[in-house]
Amino acid sequence: MNLAPAIALLIAGIALSVSLPTLLLRLGHSPRAALACWQLATATVLGSWVLAGLSIGDLIFQPLHRLGHRFSICIAALQGLTHDTRHDSPTTIFGGAASAALVVWIGVWITARLLRDRRVRARHAADLRMVARRDPDAGIYIVDSALPAVYCCPGPEHIVVASTSALAELSRAELAAVLAHERAHLAHRDHLRISVARALARAFPFVPLFAVASDEIARLCELRADDVAARAHGRRTVASALLQLLAARTPAPGIGAGGTGGAARVRRLLETPSSVASTLRGAALLGVAVATAALPLVAVGLALTALPYSVALCDLH
């Protein structure tokens, strides 16, 4: 029985889940690139653990032998062991069951979270239609409130909501910038990214990467929406609008412009971005992404390459 690939994949997943949060937090300057890296890191860690179970009993490597006799010989030489062709062996059953259990666990948590959020948003949208006035020209729902607030509520009919106080206090340009921010959330389906990240954090509370990603993905979605609005309406206009919305509290099913990290986002918008620093951070993020995707493969390769030597040393003793 060859456990080297399974152990290598398991260790690679653990190493990534522990080391990546600190690294990505330091390099996460570009919201779009950082979001891609966080999602890639999450998928790689989960994939490593699923493949670790499948590799027990050669559920991964056995099918490769059927591609051809020569390729089969190469794989067997790398592994240094004779393959067990009995697919119903105890190790094969255990590995397959472990991977299936992990996939089901992930699927149940994510599905439950998405269904819960959908129900909450549907109820909130129904309540809004009863108490809010629709402005067909602006394409928004208006609610009476003393606090300035603008937020979106995703669903079958994407809804953007603005309070009467926000409409009174925001200038025409600021309102347009905030609406562009909210529509960017809807266009990128940020609610799905945030829900999946939170579901994984609840399903695996002991995994550092998922715990940090839950908050970080929500923050990066806000930064990306800020950048979309800033490209169309200017950074200072978006910053000025956010300042007036910081006191607002977004209802649970919605995503609000004045939500996560509002003060820090205003400071970021008012700073002059350095093109050199952005380029360097982007290159560093690209390197992290490549290393993240490659590490499980490298770990398996090293394990398979070193296995024959380990077997030979054991035979000598």
Side-chain angles (χ1 to χ4, degrees):
M1 179 177 62
N2 184 4
L3 291 178
I7 295 172
L9 286 166
L10 185 62
I11 292 175
I14 294 172
L16 288 173
S17 70
V18 172
S19 62
L20 281 179
T22 302
L23 186 59
L24 289 177
L25 286 173
R26 291 179 179 176
L27 297 177
H29 183 73
S30 167
R32 182 176 297 180
L35 264 175
C37 281
W38 281 100
Q39 292 171 323
L40 174 64
T42 299
T44 302
V45 169
L46 291 175
S48 295
W49 292 341
V50 171
L51 291 177
L54 291 176
S55 65
I56 297 175
D58 289 339
L59 280 171
I60 291 177
F61 297 106
Q62 276 286 359
L64 295 179
H65 292 273
R66 298 180 180 180
L67 295 178
H69 180 63
R70 290 190 177 183
F71 193 67
S72 174
I73 293 174
C74 292
I75 296 294
L78 281 174
Q79 291 181 321
L81 292 176
T82 302
H83 288 280
D84 183 5
T85 58
R86 294 172 301 167
H87 290 279
D88 58 347
S89 65
T91 55
T92 301
I93 294 173
F94 173 78
S99 291
L102 180 58
V103 170
V104 169
W105 180 257
I106 296 167
V108 166
W109 275 94
I110 291 178
T111 302
R113 180 77 194 204
L114 292 177
L115 290 176
R116 172 190 170 277
D117 288 349
R118 183 177 180 178
R119 286 195 301 269
V120 172
R121 286 194 297 266
R123 285 198 300 266
H124 187 71
D127 293 341
L128 280 173
R129 293 188 185 95
M130 294 176 61
V131 301
R133 306 185 305 277
R134 191 173 189 280
D135 183 342
D137 295 329
I140 61 175
Y141 283 81
I142 303 171
V143 296
D144 294 321
S145 175
L147 285 177
V150 181
Y151 64 94
C152 63
C153 185
E157 177 195 357
H158 291 325
I159 293 175
V160 178
V161 184
S163 68
T164 51
S165 178
L167 296 177
E169 295 185 19
L170 295 174
S171 68
R172 194 182 199 89
E174 290 170 344
L175 179 60
V178 172
L179 294 181
H181 173 106
E182 297 305 330
R183 285 167 183 149
H185 281 310
L186 296 173
H188 289 105
R189 298 184 178 274
D190 287 337
H191 60 289
L192 296 179
R193 290 183 173 83
I194 294 170
S195 293
V196 169
R198 289 174 177 167
L200 291 175
R202 293 290 300 274
F204 302 94
F206 51 86
V207 179
L209 176 66
F210 300 158
V212 179
S214 176
D215 294 329
E216 191 62 13
I217 285 178
R219 187 184 73 88
L220 289 170
C221 286
E222 293 295 342
L223 295 184
R224 182 174 61 182
D226 288 343
D227 290 347
V228 171
R231 282 195 292 271
H233 302 281
R235 299 174 70 86
R236 291 189 175 276
T237 302
V238 178
S240 175
L242 290 180
L243 277 173
Q244 300 183 62
L245 298 174
L246 291 180
R249 188 172 181 181
T250 304
I255 306 175
T260 307
R265 287 162 50 207
V266 170
R267 288 195 298 271
R268 173 180 175 271
L269 287 166
L270 294 177
E271 292 174 353
T272 302
S274 168
S275 58
V276 175
S278 297
T279 302
L280 291 175
R281 286 175 180 264
L285 276 173
L286 178 61
V288 171
V290 171
T292 298
L295 181 60
L297 300 177
V298 172
V300 171
L302 290 175
L304 293 175
T305 303
L307 184 63
Y309 300 100
S310 301
V311 172
L313 287 175
C314 291
D315 290 341
L316 288 176
H317 291 289

